[in-house]
Amino acid sequence: MLASGVPMEEEELQKAVVAYLRKKGFAKTEIALQEEQQNRLSSSSHPDLPLSRLENDPARYSGGYSKLRSWAYSSLDLYKHELLRVLYSVYIHCFMDLVAEGHMRDARTFFQTFREDHELTHLRDLQKLEGILSPSHLEEMELARSLRQNKVKIKICQYAYDLLLQYLQKTQSLTILGIINERINFEVSPGQPISISDDMEVVALVGSNHDQAKQINQKEVRWGLLEDSVEDRLERANSDSEKAEAENKELDPEDTKKRSVDGGKQAAPVKKPKKDKLVGATGKNVRSETSTAPVAPRVKPDLTLPIMPMEVEKAILEDLRNRVQLSSSALPSICFYTFINAHNGLNCSAISHDGSLVAGGFSDSSLKVWDMSKIGQSAKPGENDSIPSEHFLGTEGEGPYTLFHGHSGPIYSATFSPLGDFLLSSSSDSTIRLWSTNLNANLVCYKGHNYPVWDVQFSPVGHYFASSSHDRTARIWSMDRIQPLRIMAGHLSDVDCVQWHANCNYVATGSSDKTVRLWDVQSGECVRIFIGHRSTVLSLAMSPDGRFMASGDEDGTIMMWDLSSGRCISPLMGHSSCVWTLAFSREGSLLASGAADCTVKLWDVTTSMKGQKIEESKPSSINRLRLLKALPTKSTPVYTLQFSRRNLLFAAGALSKC
Amino acid sequence: MSIVPKETIAVIAQSIGIANLSSDVALALAPDVEYRLREIMQEAIKCMRHSKRTVLTAEDVNSALSLRNVEPIYGFASGDPLRFKRAVGHKDLFYIDDRDVDFKEVIDAPLPKAPLDTAVVAHWLAIEGVQPAIPENAPVEAIVAPSENKKSENSKEDGLLVDLKLPVKHVLSRELQLYFDKITELTVTRPESILCKEALVSLAVDSGIHPLVPYFSYFIADEVARSLNDLPILFALMRVVRSLLQNPHIHIEPYLHQLMPSIITCVVAKRLGSKITDNHWELRDFSANLAASVCKRYGHVYHNLQSRLTKTLINAFLDPSKALTQHYGAIQGLAALGTSVVRLLVLPNLEPYLQLLHPEMQLEKQKNEMKRKEAWRVYGALLRAAGKCLYDRLKLFPGLLSPPRHPGWRINGRVATSHSNKRMSSTNLSSQQPPFKKVAADGPTGAMQPIAMTANLQGAPDGFPTRSSGKGGSVAPKGSAVLAQAWKEDLDAGRLLASLFQLFGEGVFSFIQPVEMSFFI
């Protein structure tokens, strides 16, 4: 932190401003001027404010901070929480500056003295920062680095901002003023302070650059469903037959006309994004149209999709016809698969889409697959309680499961292809393996990641799959190539979970950097950054209509995101521990969540979506999603949830004796 | 400043062969060691999360180390928890207890049992959003909650009601069958074993055994009838009943009609157990309490439960042809039901009954040692029941006997009591006369007589069917009249005491607190 010529100028400027303000009080114009000054100062490429650094006394930090702290705590209640937010930023930067200047002992005492104030909201960050003990650690630790490189943006209301400036000038606490200038970008808003519940960003103020995130979130996301999907065809077939029944043959020409109009409507949103893309304009997009349209828009797939065999399609159509309509008053039946005698070794589980196959990945690098349809009739476990136990007693000599050996490290994730004929597993040996459940053999080993692969997910149409790893990347693969098709880099820490969008054009990833990102599969670019979680994101789910995404974190918070706006609709509080898994019901009205607190919770999502439509006119109103039911298990953490096509919910978990 | 002290660094350096590490180096190294430690723990926590666990294990730390390309630390990844021992002389210093293992022992030892293989079992966690009460599911708070839910649901959807009422075949899971077989076998074959006690605990807390209740109640009814002369089994069966009653997850009301006869049998049966030495009294007491607790808990649901029980008991009590053991059971059963029942039903019949009982208690009239013992037992039970009733009354109406307390007076009373006590006990022992006769002749109670008389006079107009038979001499009618009126709430406790005293002698006094007694004497 050297004093050069340019900062000296700045210093004079600063002094002039201070003097000016002191003379004039705090009339609006002065404030505006001051604000501009502030912004100019802070956005200048010289972060150093030498006037505060001339004296190299470590005590000035703690002195200045404790003064600011006592002032902030005794300030007006209405503005206190905004000031406290500033206080936290000042606190961590004071600490890091102390470390950077080499006052290790003072830094430690300073940190410990005021730690309690911020533990409630920022415990995890504090735990990380606590480990910083030498200037070199500041460079090494990703959190500290990003904190020091990026400016924190804090929304603050006009009056609180005035109060803060007044205080800083009155007390001449130049150290603190320097830190605030250097590290914080104020976004002053006129009027009343923002309510506490609204300021989600405060939590994630660290780690990623907000401007960048904002810029990225400007990009367009075509969240519509794939055109000509099986569901689509069923709907069309139904409406056609209805029409045919309802109308006479006389009206035939009109009917066809109507249909052609329908077709035209449907085609329009498809064409538009294409055109947009060609032109490269980001302006008016589908969103404005779709928010009013009752049905989700259709989009063309960016990937070449595998062709579905006829008989499979028939089976799916049959399932769709027999689907149970779920709502807040019609809750699903839940079939629970309990892993017993897992000896704490079960790391992950997977359930095929029809619930007939259950896979378990173990820490001893084995992968076991149970065919539940062979063990009695899995669809009706209630009637066959006694039969499975007979099977397990093992009179046939061989286990009731198929054992897949091949990995050389704990298995962290497994996923079934939509048709249940393939199984993918990812392991700490940094490979992904493809297994055939028909041949009971390993087909391919995909090597590409350099570190443990935390998660792997088949796309909704099969053939493609996505993986996420400790190496901070997510990758897109196709089954027929051993090299990844796309590598998505951008997360600042491990990518812990990955999930496909319903239309296969996007992939969402959740990370230890507490953000969720949405990536375009075709271009490999990040199109959304969702900031708001307070801890590692562990699970993701996409709504079937493609509009919403749910993410669950380590603290038990679940967040619902609107993909098009990139905003959090509302946090779902209820779980007390890690949310391992999330699943939307097939028609999208319910969200099921499974957590380490041994419960399955069902949430009503329809209210939020309706609310969302109203909300668009009034964005500040918060409507909480409703918890419909909490179903406790018998000391069994819930690892996996899967809705079958007929809307039967399958859940799996390992019985843990505690 | 680092949480790793530089001494630790020095010690580690020594252990890897660097003898003279300068303290500056140690001081510089310490912060970095702490940073690395934190880094490893951060990675270990990631590994733990992806293993879907919430408890950090040594394995996770090893995974984290291998993530950082560091050789894992061997020797800690075994399944059993590490045993830490406190270092002698240090409060906060622990070390891992690392035992030497003799290879020969390990080789010679028989192979341990292979651990059970992993398996998957399926069950319904919820059916259309409602959690079925099966053993695989977590216990619902109590049995009441789901039934309420069901009710509200039924009222909403009438269609569902019909579905629910459909006759269903009762299918027991294999586990439940095994459980039932094991428990029944235990109670019949080894009723006194520790295992049986554990089984009883399981019965009292297990949430999933509701489907077994009809089987258990049938088994109990059946087995009680069959093994009337096997006391241990009867006792074990009654304990099973108690456990079932205790279990909060069981809906036992529909099966009470099956269980109650068995319990009452164990209270008032003529013979329980085969040997003379069998302590069937204890069983009767236990069962009597059991019956009373059933009444207390379900009496409000089944209004005739208590009335039927008391009718049965009072019939047994008042029937002179019944054996004394049966009388004993009946008295205990009534006493367990509470003092109001005793006051209502036993006290009015006390006096004539005692007249029948006394001959049995006397050596000269009853030669059979066994019978006489039984009679004394019955006498004891009666005394206890009546005494408890009295005690209760005294507690209920302390105002009735609030005298102007005078310390000197009290001391005098005390002296008088002890004095009369001595006298009475001596007479009691020497001459085996019926106590009430003695009491009639006794001085202190003579003073009470006027009160008893007035009570009698008051009682007569009420038209209460007094049971004064006139056999007991001059005082007896008055006493019995008081007793006959004992059901009246406002009866003076003093009068009750007086009449009881006439019947039992000073044995009653043990139920009265000294302070209050001083007032009487």
Side-chain angles (χ1 to χ4, degrees):
Chain A
M1 313 286 175
L2 292 167
S4 65
V6 186
M8 284 310 285
E9 270 175 28
E10 304 243 304
E11 182 197 346
E12 276 162 26
L13 203 59
Q14 181 73 33
K15 273 180 178 165
V17 170
V18 169
Y20 182 73
L21 268 165
R22 219 187 281 157
K23 208 167 74 188
K24 285 271 179 179
F26 49 97
K28 285 260 163 156
T29 40
E30 274 91 350
I31 298 306
L33 192 78
Q34 172 74 19
E35 189 187 318
E36 261 180 23
Q37 194 67 44
Q38 198 87 19
N39 286 344
R40 208 194 64 79
L41 260 180
S42 52
S43 59
S44 70
S45 55
H46 307 284
D48 301 353
L49 277 179
L51 78 164
S52 58
R53 304 287 157 85
L54 292 176
E55 33 160 348
N56 198 7
D57 174 26
R60 72 189 194 275
Y61 282 102
S62 63
Y65 176 77
S66 62
K67 265 190 227 155
L68 179 68
R69 176 173 168 269
S70 53
W71 172 76
Y73 274 105
S74 60
S75 64
L76 293 171
D77 278 346
L78 189 58
Y79 307 100
K80 200 186 266 178
H81 71 270
E82 291 191 331
L83 295 172
L84 293 184
R85 209 181 311 163
V86 178
L87 203 61
Y88 171 67
S89 303
V90 173
Y91 167 69
I92 51 175
H93 284 292
C94 274
F95 169 66
M96 285 191 291
D97 284 353
L98 277 170
V99 172
E101 284 171 25
H103 307 294
M104 307 313 302
R105 198 178 299 275
D106 297 298
R108 193 40 83 98
T109 21
F110 173 74
F111 191 80
Q112 293 304 341
T113 321
F114 301 110
R115 187 193 159 115
E116 261 181 23
D117 298 349
H118 309 289
E119 255 177 354
L120 193 67
T121 42
H122 303 281
L123 181 63
R124 274 166 218 277
D125 287 337
L126 291 182
Q127 278 169 351
K128 273 188 195 161
L129 290 173
E130 201 178 10
I132 301 175
L133 292 157
S134 77
S136 64
H137 292 157
L138 286 176
E139 289 302 307
E140 214 167 318
M141 183 188 275
E142 86 210 22
L143 176 70
R145 205 172 50 216
S146 69
L147 275 174
R148 283 173 73 78
Q149 274 168 4
N150 302 315
K151 276 193 162 191
V152 164
K153 186 151 72 193
I154 294 182
K155 273 189 200 158
I156 191 165
C157 79
Q158 184 70 55
Y159 187 69
Y161 184 64
D162 293 352
L163 280 177
L164 182 66
L165 285 187
Q166 241 181 314
Y167 165 77
L168 289 174
Q169 283 144 20
K170 211 159 53 193
T171 55
Q172 290 282 12
S173 49
L174 295 175
T175 316
I176 303 301
L177 184 66
I179 285 173
I180 289 177
N181 276 345
E182 194 182 339
R183 308 292 182 194
I184 302 172
N185 233 347
F186 284 108
E187 198 176 81
V188 184
S189 60
Q192 288 300 303
I194 318 137
S195 68
I196 301 173
S197 50
D198 244 3
D199 55 1
M200 290 315 293
E201 281 113 291
V202 61
V203 202
L205 84 177
V206 292
S208 58
N209 194 326
H210 265 258
D211 285 334
Q212 192 196 336
K214 210 169 195 180
Q215 203 183 337
I216 286 172
N217 287 356
Q218 294 292 319
K219 288 182 196 168
E220 167 213 352
V221 172
R222 287 161 298 124
W223 50 267
L225 295 182
L226 284 183
E227 57 176 356
D228 207 34
S229 65
V230 186
E231 278 101 339
D232 213 13
R233 260 176 273 169
L234 178 77
E235 252 166 51
R236 220 176 305 152
N238 283 348
S239 61
D240 279 1
S241 62
E242 272 168 32
K243 271 179 199 159
E245 278 166 27
E247 290 169 33
N248 289 327
K249 281 171 192 169
E250 285 170 65
L251 298 167
D252 236 349
E254 213 183 311
D255 189 6
T256 45
K257 212 199 272 172
K258 214 185 209 170
R259 213 177 296 172
S260 69
V261 171
D262 277 359
K265 258 185 201 162
Q266 240 163 26
V270 181
K271 253 184 223 161
K272 236 189 174 166
K274 272 285 163 204
K275 209 167 69 189
D276 278 352
K277 207 178 183 187
L278 287 173
V279 181
T282 47
K284 277 280 169 195
N285 51 28
V286 214
R287 233 187 300 157
S288 53
E289 278 180 42
T290 50
S291 57
T292 49
V295 200
R298 305 293 169 204
V299 295
K300 276 219 163 64
D302 286 339
L303 304 164
T304 29
L305 299 182
I307 300 145
M308 206 178 284
M310 272 310 278
E311 59 268 35
V312 175
E313 197 183 314
K314 265 186 190 162
I316 293 175
L317 280 172
E318 182 65 29
D319 281 343
L320 288 180
R321 272 190 212 105
N322 289 317
R323 175 177 291 174
V324 182
Q325 285 302 315
L326 296 180
S327 66
S328 52
S329 54
L331 296 178
S333 298
I334 307 172
C335 179
F336 203 98
Y337 294 137
T338 313
F339 288 81
I340 51 171
N341 304 319
H343 307 292
N344 260 339
L346 187 74
N347 283 358
C348 63
S349 64
I351 304 166
S352 66
H353 285 239
D354 59 354
S356 63
L357 293 174
V358 183
F362 291 82
S363 57
D364 63 357
S365 67
S366 65
L367 180 67
K368 294 171 185 174
V369 177
W370 283 263
D371 190 341
M372 297 309 284
S373 59
K374 276 181 195 158
I375 304 166
Q377 275 151 0
S378 71
K380 293 147 194 149
E383 295 175 12
N384 294 289
D385 266 352
S386 57
I387 297 164
S389 59
E390 262 169 32
H391 268 257
F392 293 135
L393 294 176
T395 42
E396 297 109 296
E398 55 173 12
Y401 54 80
T402 324
L403 183 60
F404 292 128
H405 267 312
H407 281 295
S408 59
I411 292 172
Y412 288 124
S413 175
T415 175
F416 279 101
S417 69
L419 305 181
D421 46 357
F422 295 109
L423 174 65
L424 279 168
S425 61
S426 73
S427 158
S428 85
D429 63 7
S430 73
T431 64
I432 301 159
R433 278 174 190 269
L434 178 73
W435 314 83
S436 163
T437 50
N438 297 328
L439 304 169
N440 288 341
N442 186 203
L443 302 178
V444 194
C445 175
Y446 302 95
K447 292 173 185 167
H449 285 291
N450 308 319
Y451 278 103
V453 187
W454 295 135
D455 196 10
V456 63
Q457 287 296 328
F458 254 115
S459 75
V461 292
H463 190 69
Y464 299 99
F465 61 93
S467 64
S468 70
S469 162
H470 177 68
D471 64 12
R472 303 181 186 184
T473 65
R475 296 174 194 222
I476 307 285
W477 311 69
S478 75
M479 271 163 56
D480 55 354
R481 278 157 214 252
I482 54 163
Q483 292 297 325
L485 304 176
R486 296 281 182 280
I487 298 178
M488 280 118 173
H491 275 298
L492 302 168
S493 187
D494 302 37
V495 187
D496 294 284
C497 53
V498 64
Q499 189 66 52
W500 285 82
H501 190 265
N503 66 15
C504 296
N505 292 339
Y506 299 97
V507 158
T509 54
S511 162
S512 293
D513 65 12
K514 301 170 199 168
T515 61
V516 179
R517 283 174 186 243
L518 191 71
W519 309 82
D520 188 322
V521 170
Q522 188 58 40
S523 64
E525 276 176 8
C526 178
V527 290
R528 285 285 179 278
I529 300 180
F530 303 95
I531 298 167
H533 278 290
R534 287 168 186 240
S535 53
T536 303
V537 181
L538 291 170
S539 52
L540 289 168
M542 290 282 189
S543 76
D545 63 2
R547 216 182 141 170
F548 299 100
M549 178 176 69
S551 58
D553 71 11
E554 218 173 65
D555 292 339
T557 313
I558 301 167
M559 293 207 173
M560 278 289 274
W561 306 94
D562 187 335
L563 289 187
S564 52
S565 68
R567 270 210 303 264
C568 174
I569 297 168
S570 104
L572 306 175
M573 309 292 199
H575 283 296
S576 58
S577 188
C578 309
V579 181
W580 296 134
T581 176
L582 289 166
F584 274 99
S585 69
R586 288 293 173 131
E587 80 291 317
S589 61
L590 293 180
L591 175 71
S593 61
D597 59 8
C598 301
T599 52
V600 174
K601 285 188 159 75
L602 298 171
W603 310 84
D604 189 358
V605 204
T606 45
T607 52
S608 74
M609 301 199 181
K610 271 182 219 146
Q612 176 65 16
K613 270 167 205 159
I614 307 159
E615 213 180 10
E616 264 158 10
S617 56
K618 224 174 87 185
S620 61
S621 75
I622 285 190
N623 64 318
R624 293 203 173 273
L625 308 196
R626 204 148 54 94
L627 173 65
L628 287 175
K629 189 111 190 167
L631 299 156
T633 64
K634 209 172 187 178
S635 59
T636 311
V638 185
Y639 288 4
T640 310
L641 288 167
Q642 171 86 47
F643 272 99
S644 79
R645 285 193 193 90
R646 299 189 181 193
N647 261 341
L648 176 64
L649 180 57
F650 291 99
L655 182 70
S656 59
K657 286 158 208 147
C658 29
Chain B
M1 72 190 214
S2 160
I3 55 164
V4 181
K6 67 177 200 288
E7 288 79 15
T8 310
I9 306 291
V11 168
I12 294 169
Q14 265 178 19
S15 72
I16 56 169
I18 306 166
N20 49 352
L21 190 80
S22 79
S23 68
D24 288 351
V25 175
L27 207 58
L29 220 47
D32 203 52
V33 167
E34 187 191 336
Y35 180 78
R36 299 298 151 198
L37 268 177
R38 286 174 183 276
E39 196 182 2
I40 291 296
M41 290 328 285
Q42 179 190 312
E43 299 304 311
I45 288 169
K46 278 180 193 166
C47 290
M48 171 188 82
R49 290 287 179 231
H50 286 283
S51 301
K52 301 249 192 319
R53 269 184 281 112
T54 44
V55 179
L56 198 70
T57 62
E59 222 170 305
D60 293 324
V61 179
N62 275 349
S63 308
L65 286 171
S66 62
L67 271 183
R68 287 274 176 268
N69 281 327
V70 182
E71 188 83 349
I73 305 168
Y74 299 105
F76 295 97
S78 76
D80 31 287
L82 298 171
R83 264 179 305 224
F84 288 93
K85 274 201 165 176
R86 195 190 292 272
V88 183
H90 297 272
K91 221 172 80 180
D92 299 324
L93 187 59
F94 293 85
Y95 65 97
I96 295 166
D97 183 22
D98 209 0
R99 281 185 302 121
D100 290 334
V101 178
D102 191 356
F103 260 125
K104 203 162 170 284
E105 256 174 49
V106 174
I107 292 165
D108 288 345
L111 282 175
K113 249 188 177 172
L116 288 170
D117 203 359
T118 312
V120 176
V121 286
H123 74 270
W124 288 113
L125 182 67
I127 295 169
E128 292 180 358
V130 180
Q131 205 161 17
I134 47 174
E136 289 89 345
N137 280 336
V140 219
E141 312 85 71
I143 198 74
V144 194
S147 68
E148 270 172 10
N149 284 347
K150 239 179 232 167
K151 255 180 219 161
S152 61
E153 221 168 78
N154 289 345
S155 58
K156 261 187 249 161
E157 308 159 71
D158 287 334
L160 240 162
L161 189 73
V162 184
D163 281 351
L164 283 172
K165 291 256 166 149
L166 280 176
V168 276
K169 204 176 149 204
H170 198 219
V171 184
L172 275 186
S173 74
R174 195 180 165 81
E175 288 82 2
L176 279 178
Q177 283 177 36
L178 277 173
Y179 183 84
F180 178 74
D181 290 346
K182 198 85 192 162
I183 297 248
T184 50
E185 190 201 320
L186 264 176
T187 38
V188 176
T189 54
R190 286 188 293 162
E192 305 287 344
S193 63
I194 298 163
L195 204 59
C196 191
K197 270 177 200 146
E198 271 164 21
L200 289 172
V201 172
S202 149
L203 276 176
V205 294
D206 208 313
S207 57
I209 55 170
H210 187 244
L212 288 178
V213 175
Y215 297 91
F216 270 119
S217 50
Y218 178 76
F219 163 76
I220 289 160
D222 196 41
E223 202 59 38
V224 165
R226 195 141 29 112
S227 44
L228 268 179
N229 46 15
D230 195 337
L231 195 70
I233 289 184
L234 286 176
F235 226 121
L237 287 168
M238 284 303 113
R239 289 203 172 108
V240 169
V241 173
R242 185 185 58 176
S243 294
L244 289 174
L245 285 171
Q246 277 172 351
N247 195 325
H249 309 291
I250 289 181
H251 203 61
I252 206 159
E253 285 102 300
Y255 308 101
L256 281 178
H257 71 276
Q258 221 167 354
L259 286 173
M260 278 313 277
S262 313
I263 301 172
I264 297 173
T265 306
C266 286
V267 178
V268 293
K270 195 170 178 185
R271 267 180 75 88
L272 292 168
S274 52
K275 286 168 288 192
I276 306 163
T277 51
D278 278 346
N279 189 1
H280 60 92
W281 310 105
E282 203 182 329
L283 175 61
R284 286 175 203 275
D285 293 351
F286 184 83
S287 314
N289 284 330
L290 211 55
S293 71
V294 170
C295 272
K296 215 173 275 169
R297 232 176 92 185
Y298 303 104
H300 61 282
V301 188
Y302 299 93
H303 297 292
N304 61 349
L305 184 67
Q306 177 148 1
S307 61
R308 277 167 65 185
L309 178 65
T310 44
K311 207 186 261 175
T312 317
L313 292 173
I314 204 78
N315 282 344
F317 175 51
L318 291 179
D319 191 346
S321 62
K322 292 256 161 72
L324 280 170
T325 48
Q326 287 169 288
H327 288 172
Y328 174 83
I331 293 161
Q332 285 294 32
L334 289 167
L337 284 172
T339 51
S340 56
V341 174
V342 174
R343 203 154 44 83
L344 216 65
L345 298 166
V346 181
L347 292 190
N349 305 315
L350 194 59
E351 202 235 316
Y353 183 80
L354 277 178
Q355 286 170 10
L356 287 174
L357 189 62
H358 276 299
E360 300 287 325
M361 288 160 66
Q362 283 164 346
L363 188 63
E364 50 267 37
K365 291 191 183 153
Q366 181 54 265
K367 295 291 178 217
N368 189 336
E369 172 88 9
M370 198 64 207
K371 280 267 172 66
R372 207 170 60 244
K373 246 189 183 162
E374 282 174 6
W376 275 102
R377 275 263 184 194
V378 175
Y379 180 77
L382 267 178
L383 175 62
R384 208 161 65 90
K388 258 199 175 156
C389 179
L390 177 69
Y391 179 72
D392 209 46
R393 300 299 301 166
L394 289 176
K395 266 184 115 177
L396 216 63
F397 303 110
L400 287 177
L401 31 99
S402 55
R405 283 224 245 124
H406 195 274
W409 206 52
R410 217 175 96 201
I411 290 163
N412 288 341
R414 276 263 176 86
V415 173
T417 319
S418 58
H419 183 65
S420 67
N421 264 0
K422 263 184 211 155
R423 196 147 52 96
M424 298 227 327
S425 53
S426 60
T427 47
N428 209 358
L429 285 174
S430 60
S431 65
Q432 288 273 337
Q433 278 175 10
F436 61 84
K437 272 189 185 164
K438 244 187 315 136
V439 168
D442 218 334
T445 29
M448 293 283 195
Q449 274 179 22
I451 307 167
M453 197 75 87
T454 51
N456 194 13
L457 289 172
Q458 279 170 356
D462 280 354
F464 191 82
T466 47
R467 289 179 163 274
S468 56
S469 50
K471 281 179 201 166
S474 60
V475 190
K478 290 165 200 156
S480 70
V482 172
L483 285 175
Q485 276 193 328
W487 59 275
K488 278 190 176 175
E489 280 292 329
D490 56 346
L491 184 74
D492 193 334
R495 285 177 232 160
L496 185 63
L497 173 66
S499 46
L500 284 178
F501 186 64
Q502 287 168 8
L503 292 172
F504 288 112
E506 94 290 351
V508 170
F509 288 137
S510 56
F511 293 96
I512 307 167
Q513 279 162 3
V515 184
E516 289 152 357
M517 198 159 83
S518 65
F519 174 63
F520 282 104
I521 313 248

